[in-house]
Amino acid sequence: MSSLDGPRIEPDDESARELQDTEARLGRRKGPFRGFRGRWNELPRQVQWAWMVPVVILAYALPYLNFFPITTEPGNDWPISLFTMAIYALVAVGLNVVVGYAGLLDLGYVAFFAVGSYTAALFTSPDSPLAHIPYMWTLPLAMVITATFGVILGVPTLRLRGDYLAIVTLGFGEIVRILATIIPAMRGQVGFSSVGHPPGGTATQPLFSNSNGTPWYWLTITIIIIIMLLVGNLERSRVGRAWIAIREDEDAAETMGVPTFKYKVWAFAIGAMVGGLSGALFAGQIGFVNNQKFDVQTSILFVAAVVLGGAGNKVGALLGGVIVAYIPQRFTAIADYKYLIFGIALVILMIYRSQGLVPAKIRLLAYVRRALKLTPPPPKPRIQQEAAQTRGGAA
């Protein structure tokens, strides 16, 4: 057995009964999707991919499915609303790495979103004195810069935990917004106009225009699929297991030899990269960036999206981001009350479904079940064997 395999599980009769009781409780769960996750996890990976193909096709076809009751028109343009939902979904997937996997409460995630937006604006807008580069080059550049900011923030602060870390990250978000206000090169409320966009179209009618949300939505959906694949691989890797161990009990993880500080910095850097990428996409579609778009309320909405969908589940985080963006776009009459609505929804959710709409996967039960099937029962102690033989002889 290699050092990576871990200890061999040898269940006894009591642990087997506990496992059966746990499976029975899980099997009694109610709801329309009862047992769906179990059947899905039992499918081979190739079959899962085959089932996902129609879902991806439907996602790309959504700009043309502009009909009641899902449409956001006439209040809001449907393709642009789809782009907004995709941006919130991408942000939620990135924040889920920090909050859901590593268990680090980040209330200032909007700072990374702002850094990505300003990166795209500074290197593409005619209002910027910096050298201009093609817009598509600003996407990886925004990821590198925001990852650097994530490391700079994480190294001195990630030794804090819980509420203390939340306050520090909240302050970091406000610092970024204030710096954008007081530094003359950041142009404060005046901001940057005519932010760049991807190539395509003609000089008079570009393909990626501010009024045409369909190409922007397709680009963002493609990026989301790539990010989801990468995050899924991370979740199944040693890094993902370390994050989950830190989330469940950081002291126990550190006692077992997990370098908790290193993996927490990794989580901050990776989450910041995704936040910066989404900010650069947002700036390109809007075409205008100033300091008014990155307030605390927006950061709280990002956190609400992760908690609402299900912290620790990338699909749940994506669903939460879509819901948080869709409801104000769909029901414009209540858009001004979105913070109240989502606040009440979160309170109700914490009471009746604290793990979110799509809870994190419980993989430990699957591993124990597999171990019980593959591992022979341990031999009984000699005293129990002699007692059993005595009872058999007496019979």
Side-chain angles (χ1 to χ4, degrees):
M1 183 178 66
S2 67
S3 60
L4 298 178
D5 292 336
R8 185 177 181 85
I9 300 176
E10 295 186 353
D12 53 11
D13 295 338
E14 183 179 356
S15 62
R17 287 193 300 270
E18 292 179 356
L19 177 62
Q20 293 175 357
D21 294 340
T22 303
E23 290 180 331
R25 288 196 302 269
L26 293 176
R28 290 194 296 268
R29 288 191 305 179
K30 299 179 180 180
F33 301 104
R34 179 183 56 187
F36 173 78
R37 174 177 292 181
R39 293 194 298 269
W40 175 262
N41 291 332
E42 292 174 357
L43 294 176
R45 181 59 59 87
Q46 295 81 1
V47 178
Q48 291 179 348
W49 280 101
W51 278 104
M52 289 301 297
V53 170
V55 177
V56 173
I57 294 175
L58 177 63
Y60 278 99
L62 278 178
Y64 300 103
L65 304 179
N66 188 8
F67 55 82
F68 182 83
I70 65 172
T71 183
T72 58
E73 296 181 355
N76 295 284
D77 182 75
W78 173 236
I80 293 180
S81 297
L82 287 174
F83 169 76
T84 303
M85 288 187 282
I87 286 294
Y88 270 74
L90 182 59
V91 169
V93 171
L95 183 56
N96 183 58
V97 173
V98 182
V99 176
Y101 291 157
L104 307 173
L105 183 55
D106 186 356
L107 297 182
Y109 193 74
V110 72
F112 302 123
F113 188 76
V115 171
S117 299
Y118 272 104
T119 300
L122 285 169
F123 287 97
T124 59
S125 173
D127 299 328
S128 173
L130 299 182
H132 292 176
I133 61 176
Y135 171 79
M136 295 303 293
W137 285 100
T138 65
L139 300 183
L141 181 61
M143 297 175 69
V144 172
I145 293 177
T146 49
T148 304
F149 271 85
V151 173
I152 292 174
L153 173 65
V155 168
T157 62
L158 283 179
R159 301 190 186 278
L160 302 174
R161 301 184 187 180
D163 300 338
Y164 302 101
L165 179 62
I167 295 300
V168 170
T169 55
L170 181 63
F172 175 70
E174 281 296 283
I175 288 172
V176 170
R177 186 182 64 84
I178 293 172
L179 288 177
T181 303
I182 64 177
I183 296 178
M186 308 302 289
R187 297 175 62 87
Q189 295 186 9
V190 177
F192 298 90
S193 60
S194 302
V195 179
H197 54 77
T202 62
T204 58
Q205 186 62 38
L207 176 63
F208 288 85
S209 63
N210 305 127
S211 59
N212 186 9
T214 301
W216 287 102
Y217 169 72
W218 284 340
L219 175 62
T220 309
I221 282 292
T222 304
I223 292 175
I224 287 176
I225 293 174
I226 297 173
I227 295 297
M228 291 280 284
L229 293 176
L230 296 177
V231 170
N233 288 332
L234 273 176
E235 181 185 2
R236 293 184 293 270
S237 68
R238 179 183 297 181
V239 178
R241 294 194 298 269
W243 285 340
I244 294 174
I246 294 170
R247 180 190 67 192
E248 297 300 325
D249 193 326
E250 184 175 346
D251 293 328
E254 192 166 4
T255 303
M256 296 302 294
V258 177
T260 57
F261 180 75
K262 181 184 76 171
Y263 283 117
K264 287 195 292 185
V265 173
W266 268 100
F268 246 65
I270 294 173
M273 290 173 63
V274 180
L277 175 61
S278 57
L281 290 169
F282 173 78
Q285 196 281 324
I286 297 297
F288 177 74
V289 176
N290 69 353
N291 61 353
Q292 300 298 309
K293 300 179 180 296
F294 313 109
D295 51 11
V296 177
Q297 291 85 348
T298 303
S299 189
I300 297 301
L301 279 183
F302 292 162
V303 178
V306 176
V307 176
L308 179 67
N313 190 315
K314 58 183 181 298
V315 177
L318 186 146
L319 177 63
V322 170
I323 293 174
V324 167
Y326 173 74
I327 291 180
Q329 297 282 332
R330 174 65 179 85
F331 305 100
T332 54
I334 62 174
D336 294 337
Y337 306 97
K338 58 184 177 183
Y339 301 109
L340 174 63
I341 293 171
F342 288 123
I344 296 174
L346 287 176
V347 170
I348 296 174
L349 196 69
M350 291 302 101
I351 295 174
Y352 296 103
R353 194 175 179 86
S354 59
Q355 295 180 337
L357 297 177
V358 185
K361 298 177 182 178
I362 304 176
R363 299 182 179 273
L364 181 60
L365 183 62
Y367 293 149
V368 174
R369 185 187 301 112
R370 189 179 305 169
L372 285 175
K373 291 180 180 179
L374 298 179
T375 306
K380 296 181 178 180
R382 191 190 323 178
I383 298 177
Q384 295 183 3
Q385 293 179 355
E386 294 176 354
Q389 292 174 1
T390 304
R391 287 195 299 269

